[in-house]
Amino acid sequence: MAPHAQHDWSDSDDDTPSGEQTSVLLGIPDGSVDDPSDISDAAVSRIGGHPAFLPSREPPITSSYCKACENPMELLIQIWCPFEESPMDRALYIWGCPRVGCQKKQGCIRAWRGLRYNEKYAAKLKKKLERKQLKSNASTQLDTSKDVKSNPFAAAALKNVPAFGLGTQIFGKEEIGGPNDPAADLQEEQVDTDDGNESDTSEESLLTAMTRASIDDTPWKSAPIYPPIYLSTVSEYLAPQPKIKSHSNVQVVDPSTGDSSWMAEKYENSLDVDPVFARFTQRVAAEGGQCIRYELSGVPLPFASDEVYDMLFPMPRRELVPVTKQDAKIVQPIKRTYDPSVVPRCEVCKSKRMFECQLMPNLINTIKRGEKAARKVTEEERRKEVAEALKGGKPLDKRGMEWGTCLVFSCSKDCHEEKEVWREEVVYIQWDV
């Protein structure tokens, strides 16, 4: 069954897909990162730890500064996510401020993308495209079954390098094959080519991001960090939902307008039920361990009915219900549609931004557990914490992130006027209810 792509949003449970695999990739925590080489490997996605930068020129430490308190923030997550058919190695870095006094302030969560031109893969890609063009010209029927907008994690899906770049350490060994396996396409192209050197190209030469980079003797080494944790990747699958029987002759109707959908919404409001939050929790319940949702150029999963939700999913205009009986119409339920055009364009290339990923509440829980396990509190520190708590403490000294979800929007063109790029992207935060 093809992955389900959801482009509309409404408060109706009938629009929630079930019993199928969606186009969303979920990042799940999968154990502590103990290998130092993985910490310095940009192709290994992780929660916490020090960032592994792609650009050879190390970004300034101010990239991680909270715009509210101007202190360096901890790295929340780093994702290896190159675009398909792109010669650029690519990683996404997201920092977050844990100080209570900075919550709900602009700039307490910041996202950056790092790019680096991969010369060896660019040469490989050029030959690959040339072969495809020759095959296309010689063929009478074009194969249009492949989606050019498929998820960029597949760009790392060479043999033993699955999504998030974790390789065999998480997924185990895999055999090349399958009709939708990018590695199989690569193998087939190697067989078709007459270039003898083509088959000698190793996986390591294609993924130069795997080279180790050190941040020793830099400000980044002394920056605060969370204990690093591997990210495992799974596709989102929604189990079938049981059908609730209802009496067809029972309907809630506003006697003044005949609008049943308005009365249903009014009924939900009377129970203090936020249909957006209810749908969020229902969707996430399918995989409670998820720390990140990734769907390049997809639709974000809103956390609650707030200003961010109203901006991204604007209320459509509704026709006034006729008051005369002869002009009566059936009023359809309110259906909100995601509008990506409201997100500011890229300041550099002026291209549209697209939704890329969102951080989930379980990321906060995962970070807290890892921090608690790694930290050994002395008796004196414990007494000091108790005394500080009794005094009320200083807001900025207290720690605790409060967001419900953080939505990251990136440049749709992945613009790179140079061979190395370090660029900040847009983050919208929906706060905890």
Side-chain angles (χ1 to χ4, degrees):
M1 180 180 294
H4 175 89
Q6 183 180 351
H7 301 290
D8 294 329
W9 178 275
S10 78
D11 295 337
S12 171
D13 291 337
D14 293 339
D15 292 331
T16 303
S18 63
E20 57 185 274
Q21 180 178 307
T22 75
S23 55
V24 178
L25 286 178
L26 305 177
I28 312 296
D30 204 348
S32 300
V33 182
D34 298 322
D35 188 345
S37 63
D38 286 341
I39 290 294
S40 60
D41 190 343
V44 175
S45 298
R46 82 292 302 268
I47 295 170
H50 285 298
F53 294 116
L54 280 173
S56 58
R57 290 177 296 176
E58 183 179 280
I61 186 67
T62 52
S63 300
S64 69
Y65 281 14
C66 171
K67 293 184 178 180
C69 67
E70 297 184 350
N71 286 314
M73 301 184 289
E74 287 89 342
L75 180 70
L76 297 179
I77 208 161
Q78 175 177 338
I79 311 171
W80 167 253
C81 48
F83 282 11
E84 284 191 21
E85 309 300 333
S86 171
M88 306 296 290
D89 292 332
R90 183 176 186 273
L92 195 65
Y93 308 79
I94 306 174
W95 280 272
C97 185
R99 297 170 181 83
V100 171
C102 296
Q103 303 306 296
K104 301 189 178 181
K105 292 184 179 179
Q106 184 68 27
C108 66
I109 303 288
R110 301 179 68 180
W112 295 76
R113 62 181 167 100
L115 304 177
R116 183 178 64 190
Y117 184 72
N118 188 326
E119 294 186 4
K120 292 184 178 180
Y121 185 72
K124 181 78 178 178
L125 183 62
K126 182 179 178 180
K127 292 181 180 181
K128 176 181 176 181
L129 294 176
E130 288 175 351
R131 285 195 299 272
K132 281 189 175 181
Q133 186 62 42
L134 290 175
K135 289 182 180 180
S136 176
N137 293 338
S139 176
T140 57
Q141 295 182 348
L142 297 178
D143 180 10
T144 59
S145 61
K146 291 186 178 180
D147 183 7
V148 296
K149 272 293 185 181
S150 56
N151 201 288
F153 286 119
L158 298 174
K159 183 180 180 182
N160 296 334
V161 189
F164 290 127
L166 287 179
T168 56
Q169 61 194 4
I170 296 298
F171 291 88
K173 294 185 178 181
E174 298 178 1
E175 296 296 330
I176 294 180
N180 297 319
D181 187 353
D185 295 337
L186 181 60
Q187 186 184 54
E188 180 183 354
E189 290 160 6
Q190 290 176 345
V191 172
D192 291 342
T193 182
D194 294 330
D195 186 353
N197 296 327
E198 189 76 16
S199 60
D200 295 332
T201 304
S202 65
E203 296 164 14
E204 288 76 16
S205 69
L206 296 180
L207 291 174
T208 60
M210 301 293 280
T211 57
R212 309 304 187 232
S214 175
I215 59 171
D216 291 342
D217 302 324
T218 74
W220 290 100
K221 187 176 181 180
S222 58
I225 64 168
Y226 295 118
I229 301 172
Y230 285 116
L231 271 176
S232 175
T233 310
V234 297
S235 296
E236 182 185 46
Y237 176 79
L238 302 178
Q241 296 295 320
K243 296 292 184 179
I244 301 177
K245 294 183 179 180
S246 61
H247 298 286
S248 58
N249 60 340
V250 176
Q251 187 177 26
V252 182
V253 179
D254 181 357
S256 62
T257 63
D259 186 351
S260 60
S261 62
W262 181 86
M263 284 298 291
E265 181 179 343
K266 186 175 181 180
Y267 175 71
E268 286 180 341
N269 291 338
S270 68
L271 297 178
D272 284 334
V273 174
D274 181 355
V276 177
F277 179 70
R279 182 166 179 172
F280 179 91
T281 54
Q282 178 186 357
R283 185 75 174 261
V284 174
E287 178 48 74
Q290 59 185 278
C291 289
I292 188 169
R293 297 172 64 86
Y294 192 100
E295 187 185 17
L296 188 68
S297 193
V299 179
L301 179 65
F303 177 75
S305 299
D306 61 2
E307 293 180 356
V308 173
Y309 170 69
D310 290 335
M311 177 187 64
L312 296 175
F313 299 85
M315 180 74 74
R317 289 186 176 183
R318 298 191 60 182
E319 295 183 22
L320 295 177
V321 180
V323 295
T324 57
K325 186 174 182 180
Q326 59 270 25
D327 294 328
K329 296 180 180 179
I330 297 176
V331 179
Q332 298 296 329
I334 299 173
K335 193 177 186 70
R336 296 199 185 203
T337 303
Y338 170 55
D339 182 10
S341 66
V342 300
V343 181
R345 288 176 174 263
C346 175
E347 294 87 351
V348 179
C349 69
K350 309 305 178 185
S351 298
K352 293 180 180 180
R353 277 195 171 94
M354 59 184 174
F355 172 73
E356 183 164 2
C357 64
Q358 66 187 99
L359 306 184
M360 303 300 286
N362 188 51
L363 176 59
I364 298 177
N365 299 329
T366 301
I367 285 172
K368 285 181 178 178
R369 287 193 297 267
E371 196 174 26
K372 184 177 180 181
R375 184 186 175 203
K376 296 180 180 179
V377 182
T378 65
E379 187 61 30
E380 173 149 358
E381 287 176 327
R382 188 176 291 106
R383 283 198 301 267
K384 186 177 179 180
E385 288 179 356
V386 172
E388 187 66 28
L390 292 174
K391 293 178 183 178
K394 296 180 181 179
L396 287 178
D397 292 336
K398 294 182 179 179
R399 294 168 63 87
M401 290 179 286
E402 301 174 358
W403 44 262
T405 189
C406 303
L407 312 173
V408 180
F409 297 83
S410 55
C411 174
S412 60
K413 298 296 183 183
D414 203 29
C415 57
H416 46 272
E417 66 282 357
E418 298 178 356
K419 289 189 174 182
E420 294 184 346
V421 171
W422 182 251
R423 194 153 293 153
E424 188 166 13
E425 296 293 4
V426 170
V427 178
Y428 289 124
I429 307 173
Q430 290 191 279
W431 299 98
D432 198 2
V433 292

